[in-house]
Amino acid sequence: MIFPHLLSVYNLALCGIFVLGLPFALVQSGYVGLVLLVLSAWVCNHTGRTLVSCLYEEEMSGGSGSVSKVRVRTSYQDIMEACCKGLWPNWSGVGGLMVNVAQVIELLMTCTLYLLVSTSLLFDSLSWVAVPRSVCSLVSLVFLLPCLLLTDLRPVSTLSLLCSLAHILISLLVMLYCLSCASSWSWSSLSLSVDPEDFLVSVGVIIFSYTSQIFLPPLEGSMEDRGQFNVMLGWTHGAACIMKTMFSLMAVLTWGPETSEVITDNLPSDLRPLVNLCLLAKAQLSYPLPFYAAAEILQTCVLRAKPFIVDCQQLSVSRPALVVRGALLMTSYLLALLVPRFSLLMGLTGSVTGAAMTLILPCLFHLRLQWSRLTVKARLIDVGILSLGVICSVSGVICSVKRLLEGL
């Protein structure tokens, strides 16, 4: 059995609103992008398994002498600290801090992307009254102020589950429209020759769409039968791969080079307002999840105390915690104002924290903690994914930052 709140968190992480940016990434990457969509699913499934395997250590049973696996770690941070132990004095604490920083950056960028999407959708919906984009961004921020008072994951998980269901309905609506235009599909929209910079940014976008590793340790720990974790992970990534590939391919075949950064912008004028309003509600309701997770990490690291206080038998947020949350909310707001394009921020996030948390670190942990138990094949696979992650991360960051600076 998996706790419902963690399952809804994982579903939202793997099949969130950022899938709407995949068709644009596919246009930029051509036929190679189709291979990347499938390959990324396999790689992320592999690194998810290796990450969770690092939670365990082998121990000898007293009487029988048999070897059993014991779960000795509970989080991503625990694995990092174990990996750094013995390398250098105090490196264990530094490693844990680095993981927390990477998680906060990824979650902050996710919050910024949701706010950026909300602003764009509201601006498009109110285009007939010529409301400035800055006003739309401020209105989106106002509706997110209740996030400052969140004290429990349960309402967040309920919203996440509803968002996942809404996302499936919106995706099906877009796919049905694409199928209605099947007679005009053209494979010439995909190309073997692509611009290197566009391709590298697209790699970051595709990787970011699969980033979910930070949720895997608590998810596996909540399962009644943990032996089924690999099966669950494989089926989930397989289903996500099929859905994302079909969705992206249909959209590209329908709109070709005219594919927008957010695919719903390509819908006809009579259908787009309704879909945009649904997406606006989804983006607003999706924001609390990454915000809550980032706030929890920051409060633990900065305040080093419980962020909640009991007043008259009711749980409320302490003043220092409100300051931390307010700073986090305003940071995401300012970033959303500064960033010119959705796809570039998504690509940058995927290249920085996505590649590190999803590709690089899990393989590094696996090699460091379980080297003696790994086969030559397993070592080569880990080294290959690790090397690929470093190359994609460095090159993707350079291209994304260059494009972002050009757009400022």
Side-chain angles (χ1 to χ4, degrees):
M1 175 181 159
I2 303 174
F3 291 160
H5 67 274
L6 284 173
L7 184 58
S8 62
V9 163
Y10 183 66
N11 287 333
L12 182 63
L14 202 57
C15 295
I17 197 172
F18 308 122
V19 174
L20 301 177
L22 285 179
F24 183 76
L26 185 58
V27 169
Q28 301 294 310
S29 56
Y31 281 100
V32 182
L34 288 175
V35 178
L36 283 175
L37 283 168
V38 178
L39 182 62
S40 296
W42 179 86
V43 169
C44 292
N45 177 54
H46 174 80
T47 57
R49 294 184 181 191
T50 57
L51 178 67
V52 169
S53 70
C54 293
L55 297 171
Y56 293 81
E57 291 289 348
E58 292 184 350
E59 291 186 1
M60 296 287 294
S61 299
S64 61
S66 60
V67 178
S68 61
K69 290 186 176 181
V70 180
R71 199 175 197 265
V72 297
R73 304 176 188 100
T74 60
S75 66
Y76 209 120
Q77 182 179 352
D78 290 343
I79 300 174
M80 183 67 167
E81 291 177 351
C83 190
C84 293
K85 187 177 294 183
L87 293 179
W88 198 264
N90 299 323
W91 265 44
S92 179
V94 173
L97 179 62
M98 289 172 59
V99 166
N100 284 333
V101 170
Q103 290 184 89
V104 169
I105 291 175
E106 181 171 328
L107 292 167
L108 174 61
M109 291 299 186
T110 303
C111 291
T112 303
L113 283 165
Y114 280 129
L115 190 52
L116 187 59
V117 170
S118 297
T119 300
S120 298
L121 292 171
L122 187 61
F123 180 73
D124 185 67
S125 301
L126 299 178
S127 59
W128 56 281
V129 290
V131 177
R133 190 179 182 87
S134 57
V135 174
C136 294
S137 182
L138 185 60
V139 171
S140 298
L141 176 70
V142 170
F143 280 102
L144 295 173
L145 290 178
C147 293
L148 298 174
L149 303 177
L150 280 174
T151 59
D152 195 350
L153 187 61
R154 282 174 292 182
V156 177
S157 66
T158 302
L159 295 176
S160 300
L161 181 59
L162 293 175
C163 287
S164 298
L165 295 175
H167 176 75
I168 292 173
L169 291 175
I170 293 169
S171 298
L172 288 175
L173 183 61
V174 174
M175 292 172 70
L176 287 173
Y177 177 82
C178 292
L179 286 173
S180 69
C181 303
S183 59
S184 61
W185 282 359
S186 173
W187 286 92
S188 61
S189 304
L190 294 172
S191 174
L192 287 172
S193 59
V194 294
D195 181 84
E197 290 189 3
D198 289 337
F199 174 75
L200 291 172
V201 173
S202 298
V203 171
V205 172
I206 292 172
I207 291 174
F208 186 68
S209 72
Y210 282 104
T211 54
S212 60
Q213 262 65 359
I214 60 176
F215 301 112
L216 293 182
L219 176 62
E220 190 264 353
S222 71
M223 295 180 67
E224 186 175 277
D225 183 5
R226 295 174 184 170
Q228 296 298 312
F229 173 79
N230 288 346
V231 176
M232 181 277 296
L233 196 67
W235 277 103
T236 305
H237 278 84
C241 175
I242 293 172
M243 189 277 288
K244 291 176 181 180
T245 304
M246 290 179 58
F247 179 83
S248 303
L249 183 59
M250 286 183 180
V252 172
L253 292 176
T254 301
W255 289 291
E258 304 300 320
T259 301
S260 299
E261 292 189 6
V262 179
I263 195 59
T264 53
D265 290 344
N266 287 111
L267 293 172
S269 57
D270 56 339
L271 182 61
R272 188 170 64 190
L274 176 61
V275 174
N276 280 352
L277 287 176
C278 293
L279 282 173
L280 175 61
K282 173 178 167 52
Q284 289 276 306
L285 294 175
S286 298
Y287 185 96
L289 171 60
F291 179 84
Y292 180 88
E296 286 290 289
I297 296 173
L298 283 175
Q299 288 162 180
T300 302
C301 296
V302 176
L303 303 180
R304 299 189 181 279
K306 291 185 178 181
F308 309 122
I309 54 177
V310 179
D311 183 19
C312 300
Q313 298 182 345
Q314 290 186 348
L315 202 61
S316 60
V317 183
S318 63
R319 288 184 179 179
L322 277 176
V323 173
V324 172
R325 292 179 175 210
L328 181 64
L329 184 67
M330 289 306 300
T331 301
S332 67
Y333 170 68
L334 293 175
L335 286 174
L337 288 178
L338 292 173
V339 174
R341 291 175 57 185
F342 170 79
S343 64
L344 291 181
L345 182 58
M346 188 174 171
L348 177 62
T349 306
S351 298
V352 179
T353 58
M357 304 291 287
T358 305
L359 305 180
I360 300 173
L361 290 180
C363 293
L364 195 61
F365 296 156
H366 203 217
L367 292 170
R368 164 70 175 160
L369 298 176
Q370 301 185 9
W371 176 269
S372 60
R373 300 195 295 270
L374 297 178
T375 63
V376 175
K377 179 181 177 181
R379 293 174 184 174
L380 289 175
I381 291 175
D382 283 344
V383 171
I385 295 175
L386 175 61
S387 303
L388 183 64
V390 172
I391 295 172
C392 292
S393 179
V394 174
S395 56
V397 167
I398 293 173
C399 293
S400 297
V401 170
K402 179 182 176 182
R403 295 290 181 88
L404 281 171
L405 292 176
E406 289 175 351
L408 292 178

